[in-house]
Amino acid sequence: MRVGIGYDVHKLVENRPLILGGVNIPHSKGLLGHSDADVLLHAIMDSLLGALALGDIGKHFPDTSESYKGISSLLLLKKVGNLINSSGYSVENLDSTIIAQKPKISPYITEIRKNIAYTLGIDIGRVSVKATTEEGLGFSGREEGISSQSICLLNYMEK
């Protein structure tokens, strides 16, 4: 068994879509980043990579590479999932939290969970995604950015 923790944060800016868990969420601002800046999937990938001491997403998908510019983080998550499986492990469960003052994320949680489960090839019952605010405090409370945290449990697959 291996456990990993991931964290990511991105700044909210004008003229960018807000993508969380592969879902385009209507909002006046989106997240700034080299890829689609999906802060949730970035935290999840870092938790998965960290569980096996494989570094972080910056190591595997550097923001200096044009091949990752604007890429869907679901494609990157698929690559991380393949790496986990090829290492002999499977995802037992994921538990993630999105921290954002606005917009309300709850209407999109089921679709987000489905995207993650489908991309990793696991049952949706193994994927927990929650959302919370910081009650107007800090950068997320001031609507300057959105952060996400994730923890995962990986099991070694018997061969």
Side-chain angles (χ1 to χ4, degrees):
M1 243 186 287
R2 304 292 291 262
V3 174
I5 296 174
Y7 174 81
D8 197 30
V9 62
H10 284 273
K11 182 179 180 176
L12 281 164
V13 296
E14 302 284 338
N15 301 314
R16 289 273 300 195
L18 177 57
I19 311 291
L20 294 172
V23 177
N24 192 334
I25 297 174
H27 191 53
S28 61
K29 294 182 178 180
L31 295 170
L32 181 63
H34 186 68
S35 66
D36 63 3
D38 190 326
V39 69
L40 172 63
L41 295 185
H42 293 184
I44 289 171
M45 287 185 277
D46 271 347
S47 71
L48 293 168
L49 292 166
L52 295 180
L54 296 174
D56 60 21
I57 62 171
K59 174 183 173 183
H60 293 269
F61 314 112
D63 64 6
T64 54
S65 172
E66 283 299 307
S67 62
Y68 301 120
K69 186 169 179 62
I71 194 168
S72 167
S73 293
L74 285 171
L75 295 174
L76 302 179
L77 180 62
K78 181 71 172 171
K79 291 177 185 253
V80 170
N82 290 340
L83 185 60
I84 299 304
N85 291 335
S86 68
S87 295
Y89 285 83
S90 63
V91 178
E92 184 65 28
N93 78 303
L94 292 165
D95 185 19
S96 303
T97 304
I98 302 165
I99 301 106
Q101 194 65 36
K102 289 183 183 172
K104 289 292 182 194
I105 308 300
S106 58
Y108 308 98
I109 295 287
T110 299
E111 187 178 358
I112 289 169
R113 290 177 63 223
K114 285 179 184 175
N115 283 348
I116 295 165
Y118 176 79
T119 301
L120 291 174
I122 60 176
D123 185 85
I124 193 170
R126 295 177 183 228
V127 179
S128 171
V129 175
K130 305 173 301 291
T132 191
T133 71
E134 289 189 312
E135 304 295 331
L137 300 173
F139 70 87
S140 69
R142 293 187 300 270
E143 299 178 49
E144 297 170 5
I146 295 176
S147 65
S148 187
Q149 301 174 348
S150 180
I151 187 166
C152 72
L153 175 65
L154 304 181
N155 275 324
Y156 189 72
M157 298 183 290
E158 297 293 325
K159 295 191 179 189

